[in-house]
Amino acid sequence: MAEDDSTTESPEKQNLDDHAFAALGLSHKVVRAVAKSGYENPTNIQSQAIPVVLEGRDVIGSSQTGTGKTAAFALPVISNLKAHGKLRCLVLEPTRELADQVTNAFRTYSKFTNLKTALIQGGVGYGRQIEMLNKGVDVVVATPGRLLDLHKQKNISFKDIEVVVLDEVDRMLDMGFLPDVKRIVKLTPRKRQTLFFSATIPSEIEYLAQWSLTNPFTVDVGQRRSAAETVNHCLYPVAREQKMELLLRLLNDMDYQSVLIFTERKLDAEVVARKLELNNHEAVTLHSDRSQRERKKALDGFKNGDFEILIATDVAGRGLDISGISHVVNYDVPRNAENYVHRIGRTGRANTEGDAITLFAADEMDQVKGIEGYIEQEIERVTIENFEYAFTTLLQKQEIARPVRRGRNRGYVPANTMPFNMKGRRR
Ligand code: AMP
């Protein structure tokens, strides 16, 4: 139930008028929800985008998740929609997990209004989704395939759409969704507001942006490579056959609360999970071979602390909004340099420091070079003490004795140092 929001003289109202989000022009009900969420100050993308979205302008933003992007579009959209009516806002997301998270964000930020948000995603039955649509909703957050199915079956109409949000467009491109996205946008009224977000803007996306946006305001908060700058991240050279052993040792040395481990392949995610379980670690996996129910159970279990370790592949792990991840471990070096930045960006969210570790075998040298080129930074190599390293060319003297530049600090540290103190932080 929405609470009564009408008392203008209450101390709470007074405080909300002074709230940093009120100054951006958001409605009182939205500011109240923001305050309730515990946000004190807008993030960079929020202070840039919110006033422009409130004005009704199109926006193109090159900011990735973890920067407060969802609130940057959801808060002004909710503020403009005001009260329950027709379906007026469509948000497209590349994955079910992201659609779920963004739906929750819309529901949280609109809790003091009577606006309704429906989640439309594949992998689950049609019944409840059709029921919700029939009851009437203001916002639909959807993955493209299921949304088109429902439209074909005439269960949803886009004729009153006023705002279209295309979120994580580069991910939609990776997943082959761009034709569906274009089809959906074509079905919405020409006169609409379009908000377009993509961590990177390759040429295919630039084309879609030009086609779908009108005189957009560009929000570029320079976050594309930010995780590489804000997160403590380092490489652990090791012989391939010792990766598991080193992982177990690192987990023992760390004082971790929640660890997100990435593997390139689904099968490896399962193998690593089984081995961790055999060594008394609570681990769950998240990848596309698992059913929607299993994925939700894994994610919820990880979020509420039932499992300390979540092992995910890139598709499943991208954009997950899980606060408090203390460490990210790349069991494999990602083949795609951009994925490296996305993976390590899962920690160090909301300006907290995070540690990201990459286990690195000799046959992954090309990937490492690719990543270092992409982030324009040499990543520190770290070995640990009292570990019986098997021979690998990576650990030959000239490799590890080479002084390396540490992030932005420009300090030179020998590679052969203990990476963690008892609190799990690098020294
Ligand atoms: P996003 O980039 O939308 O995935 O948001 C990342 C995380 O930051 C989410 O957990 C949000 O709840 C949180 N967040 C968003 N805006 C703020 C803010 N202004 N202050 C503090 N946390 C925020």
Side-chain angles (χ1 to χ4, degrees):
M1 267 299 275
E3 292 169 35
D4 179 19
D5 193 30
S6 57
T7 43
T8 46
E9 300 304 319
S10 69
E12 191 202 359
K13 165 91 172 80
Q14 196 78 47
N15 290 341
L16 289 181
D17 284 345
D18 297 338
H19 197 281
F21 278 82
L24 297 174
L26 293 165
S27 76
H28 179 67
K29 289 175 181 179
V30 170
V31 176
R32 193 168 163 204
V34 167
K36 187 116 188 164
S37 299
Y39 305 170
E40 287 175 6
N41 291 302
T43 63
N44 199 350
I45 187 172
Q46 288 164 2
S47 40
Q48 288 188 59
I50 289 172
V52 184
V53 178
L54 282 173
E55 274 176 27
R57 271 191 76 174
D58 283 3
V59 165
I60 180 163
S62 66
S63 169
Q64 58 189 34
T65 54
T67 55
K69 169 166 61 78
T70 314
F73 63 79
L75 299 176
V77 165
I78 294 166
S79 196
N80 280 348
L81 290 177
K82 296 189 177 76
H84 182 48
K86 294 175 174 165
L87 171 59
R88 285 160 293 160
C89 173
L90 209 52
V91 183
L92 297 187
E93 294 290 340
T95 65
R96 297 168 193 170
E97 280 77 18
L98 271 168
D100 194 33
Q101 280 168 205
V102 171
T103 303
N104 288 336
F106 265 89
R107 289 181 180 153
T108 304
Y109 302 143
S110 61
K111 70 200 288 186
F112 298 117
T113 73
N114 59 0
L115 292 168
K116 297 207 166 24
T117 301
L119 167 63
I120 301 293
Q121 52 168 355
V124 291
Y126 283 75
R128 275 196 52 187
Q129 296 180 359
I130 294 174
E131 205 179 302
M132 275 208 74
L133 292 173
N134 288 341
K135 278 191 190 154
V137 294
D138 305 277
V139 178
V140 158
V141 181
T143 50
R146 174 61 63 92
L147 187 67
L148 274 175
D149 281 353
L150 287 170
H151 188 270
K152 264 185 221 137
Q153 297 160 15
K154 304 216 178 322
N155 287 306
I156 189 166
S157 159
F158 300 147
K159 76 176 172 38
D160 298 305
I161 294 293
E162 293 168 5
V163 189
V164 173
V165 182
L166 305 180
D167 195 18
E168 306 252 344
V169 181
D170 51 350
R171 197 62 186 162
M172 301 224 239
L173 168 72
D174 289 352
M175 296 173 81
F177 289 162
L178 283 200
D180 280 354
V181 171
K182 213 173 156 188
R183 239 167 257 145
I184 293 167
V185 174
K186 266 190 181 161
L187 292 166
T188 63
R190 263 171 186 258
K191 192 173 171 311
R192 59 163 196 271
Q193 181 179 27
T194 310
L195 311 177
F196 192 107
F197 295 94
S198 190
T200 54
I201 317 255
S203 55
E204 298 95 319
I205 289 181
E206 201 164 343
Y207 165 76
L208 180 70
Q210 276 174 8
W211 173 79
S212 62
L213 295 162
T214 311
N215 184 25
F217 179 85
T218 303
V219 181
D220 184 351
V221 289
Q223 291 287 349
R224 187 153 80 97
R225 293 169 183 179
S226 68
E229 287 159 14
T230 60
V231 171
N232 284 326
H233 57 118
C234 46
L235 294 170
Y236 283 72
V238 66
R240 178 162 285 283
E241 65 276 14
Q242 275 193 309
K243 278 197 173 185
M244 191 65 216
E245 199 184 328
L246 183 62
L247 174 64
L248 287 168
R249 169 64 193 279
L250 288 168
L251 288 173
N252 278 334
D253 288 355
M254 286 175 200
D255 178 16
Y256 67 84
Q257 294 87 42
S258 57
V259 182
L260 178 57
I261 300 180
F262 283 101
T263 59
E264 287 279 293
R265 301 181 322 153
K266 301 167 204 171
L267 181 65
D268 290 336
E270 292 300 331
V271 170
V272 171
R274 296 295 82 79
K275 288 189 179 158
L276 289 178
E277 275 165 11
L278 286 174
N279 285 277
N280 302 320
H281 292 283
E282 300 278 353
V284 273
T285 56
L286 187 74
H287 53 70
S288 56
D289 278 357
R290 304 206 76 193
S291 69
Q292 181 60 11
R293 212 171 59 86
E294 287 170 328
R295 285 160 74 168
K296 186 161 170 34
K297 200 169 152 216
L299 204 52
D300 290 348
F302 184 60
K303 280 184 180 177
N304 67 27
D306 289 347
F307 306 104
E308 295 167 320
I309 301 176
L310 178 69
I311 306 169
T313 53
D314 285 302
V315 170
R318 167 92 179 241
L320 289 178
D321 178 17
I322 308 168
S323 54
I325 291 176
S326 58
H327 296 80
V328 166
V329 178
N330 292 318
Y331 193 75
D332 314 295
V333 182
R335 273 185 232 119
N336 175 332
E338 242 173 70
N339 279 348
Y340 179 81
V341 179
H342 286 300
R343 286 180 182 191
I344 69 170
R346 298 308 97 212
T347 186
R349 294 169 74 81
N351 301 333
T352 55
E353 275 201 3
D355 282 352
I357 288 165
T358 300
L359 306 185
F360 159 35
D363 55 13
E364 293 170 306
M365 182 55 103
D366 286 347
Q367 284 107 288
V368 167
K369 293 276 177 240
I371 292 164
E372 290 183 326
Y374 178 73
I375 63 174
E376 295 168 351
Q377 193 188 95
E378 199 170 6
I379 310 169
E380 183 182 336
R381 272 76 165 159
V382 178
T383 57
I384 59 174
E385 284 169 359
N386 304 323
F387 182 81
E388 290 283 324
Y389 279 98
F391 173 81
T392 158
T393 48
L394 296 175
L395 293 170
Q396 282 174 330
K397 262 268 178 289
Q398 67 273 26
E399 264 296 334
I400 61 166
R402 184 164 47 96
V404 289
R405 241 172 24 166
R406 179 191 273 222
R408 291 192 297 183
N409 293 338
R410 310 285 179 255
Y412 285 86
V413 292
N416 195 5
T417 53
M418 247 317 259
F420 297 102
N421 62 21
M422 295 312 284
K423 289 237 169 295
R425 292 266 166 241
R426 266 183 328 147
R427 286 181 195 149

